[in-house]
Amino acid sequence: MARKIIAANWKENPKNEKDALKLFRGVAKAANGAVRVILCPPFIYLDEIAHAWKKMHGGRRHKKEEQLALGAQDAFWEEKGAFTSEVGPRMLRGLGMEYVILGHSERRKWMKETDAVINKKIQRALADGLRVILCVGEPLAVRRKGLSAARNHVASQIRRDLAGVASRDRRHLMIAYEPIWAIGTGRYDNPEDACEMAEFIKRKASGGRSARGGGAAGGVPVLYGGSVTSKNIAEYIKYNSIDGALVGGASLKVGEFKKIINITCKI
Ligand code: PGA
């Protein structure tokens, strides 16, 4: 069975570089061979954290599939040019980033990112050598209509976000299923429903075929995200189809995040 994946989305946290390095050092020690840990800090801390990573690894460069990998929370769809404040995937690769989170519901909501924009970002990121963690998930109003409405919502996001992405490039993709109503709310999805959704997403993201390779259960790896803590992580990752978790709030507390990693190692 492939290693489970625990990805941390720090969002706009912590408040300064000193705290960011402290958090990095604390959780980096907990990384364990049985789990792949991916940390995604804000842009402004990436350089220092990449340096700290290198120091921890005897000065060597980051390789693909590291046990402890780094990622960004966004990347623009153009390589360079007159795009004030934007950061492109090549710049991130240059810093030693392996992953990028794209399509997070907070960017869809606050930055009005559409599926068309997310699609352009995904294409550029994959072309420029980043691995993509694509976030999808339904709002509460849709979920209230039932699981099949939620599936339709997610299927439409996947179809639009991955339009034109060749199946060979999907090897560098994973999808985080994050029901919007579960993000940062303390309300988490029923693990059985999340597992069914993960299977559905694998089928959709591999064009209906059950592709080989990539995740623990084959196909595109699918993470669950939304109020994951040390109390509920085991309920999700016990399923083969759930390849890991994308953790927000609980990834900011060293002790709690270590517990999540340790529990995942034992599954
Ligand atoms: P949460 O965030 O764990 O705080 O709910 C998850 C996410 O937004 O990726």
Side-chain angles (χ1 to χ4, degrees):
M1 196 167 85
R3 279 185 295 179
K4 296 273 184 183
I5 301 155
I6 299 292
N9 178 6
W10 289 5
K11 307 191 181 184
E12 194 187 351
N13 298 293
K15 62 183 185 309
N16 59 45
E17 190 173 274
K18 194 166 153 252
D19 290 355
L21 281 168
K22 203 166 140 200
L23 179 58
F24 169 74
R25 293 199 180 99
V27 299
K29 280 194 214 117
N32 173 308
V35 179
R36 175 123 54 93
V37 178
I38 305 166
L39 302 179
C40 302
F43 282 137
I44 190 142
Y45 306 138
L46 293 180
D47 192 27
E48 271 306 310
I49 289 179
H51 270 96
W53 185 98
K54 219 169 159 182
K55 236 171 131 184
M56 199 173 276
H57 292 78
R60 72 170 171 80
R61 277 176 63 88
H62 177 275
K63 294 183 296 214
K64 286 219 160 145
E65 304 278 334
E66 293 281 359
Q67 177 190 316
L68 174 66
L70 299 176
Q73 297 171 23
D74 186 32
F76 194 52
W77 67 75
E78 291 289 348
E79 189 183 331
K80 62 179 172 60
F83 304 103
T84 302
S85 98
E86 293 297 345
V87 176
R90 267 177 207 258
M91 295 171 174
L92 295 167
R93 288 284 299 137
L95 280 184
M97 297 305 116
E98 184 176 350
Y99 290 88
V100 63
I101 297 173
L102 292 174
H104 192 282
S105 61
E106 285 153 13
R107 293 203 60 85
R108 293 179 193 256
K109 179 180 175 192
W110 300 111
M111 276 42 120
K112 306 277 177 266
E113 282 196 8
T114 60
D115 289 312
V117 161
I118 294 160
N119 177 252
K120 283 206 276 185
K121 289 185 170 187
I122 292 174
Q123 303 230 31
R124 168 61 65 184
L126 291 173
D128 286 352
L130 282 178
R131 292 170 185 268
V132 170
I133 304 173
L134 165 65
C135 300
V136 296
E138 79 287 354
L140 188 56
V142 170
R143 182 58 172 258
R144 281 203 173 119
K145 292 184 193 151
L147 286 175
S148 88
R151 276 197 292 272
N152 288 342
H153 184 92
V154 165
S156 146
Q157 287 180 316
I158 292 175
R159 193 176 61 250
R160 292 164 203 254
D161 296 347
L162 296 183
V165 177
S167 43
R168 65 173 181 281
D169 292 330
R170 296 187 188 200
R171 282 184 289 125
H172 305 297
L173 171 78
M174 64 178 91
I175 296 185
Y177 169 58
E178 301 201 302
I180 297 173
W181 47 271
I183 296 178
T185 57
R187 286 180 63 192
Y188 47 92
D189 198 8
N190 175 338
E192 226 175 289
D193 293 346
C195 173
E196 263 179 45
M197 185 63 100
E199 283 163 8
F200 176 78
I201 289 173
K202 276 182 206 290
R203 284 199 300 277
K204 285 286 156 199
S206 52
R209 288 169 290 116
S210 87
R212 290 180 162 270
V220 172
V222 177
L223 313 181
Y224 168 76
S227 296
V228 169
T229 66
S230 61
K231 303 254 182 320
N232 59 29
I233 182 75
E235 296 305 309
Y236 295 101
I237 48 157
K238 70 177 184 199
Y239 291 109
N240 261 348
S241 325
I242 299 183
D243 298 279
L246 178 57
V247 187
S251 71
L252 299 171
K253 299 175 214 129
V254 173
E256 175 65 2
F257 194 61
K258 276 185 178 172
K259 270 195 210 163
I260 291 175
I261 295 172
N262 288 337
I263 293 167
T264 308
C265 288
K266 289 186 191 124
I267 293 283

